[in-house]
Amino acid sequence: MMPLTMAKAGETVTVRKISGKDEVRQHLAELGFVVDSDVTVVSEIGGNLIVQVKESRIALNKSMANRIMV
């Protein structure tokens, strides 16, 4: 497992685990980041990511992306 921040642009990865407080995990789950869901990294700028989850594009800062293990 590695944090989502290690994935490269264009790569599709599967969420394995989400760490953090309950409210953080709940927030990410509401955005579509749930275990076994596929996430595609659209672009990465300075550790901040734009990712595609289902039909949505979502921007994640580095600290949030580091909590998503793939």
Side-chain angles (χ1 to χ4, degrees):
M1 272 196 307
M2 64 180 186
L4 183 57
T5 47
M6 302 292 288
K8 296 179 175 38
E11 202 174 343
T12 299
V13 293
T14 304
V15 176
R16 296 286 170 223
K17 186 180 149 213
I18 296 171
S19 61
K21 296 193 185 98
D22 285 348
E23 57 265 28
V24 172
R25 291 202 313 262
Q26 180 66 38
H27 177 66
L28 288 169
E30 285 164 3
L31 294 173
F33 295 96
V34 290
V35 172
D36 291 336
S37 63
D38 287 339
V39 176
T40 303
V41 178
V42 177
S43 66
E44 179 271 330
I45 301 147
N48 300 318
L49 301 175
I50 307 265
V51 295
Q52 177 107 20
V53 181
K54 299 185 174 72
E55 279 78 54
S56 310
R57 284 195 172 189
I58 298 167
L60 285 177
N61 66 20
K62 193 172 187 175
S63 71
M64 283 298 238
N66 271 324
R67 294 178 183 180
I68 302 168
M69 302 303 286
V70 295

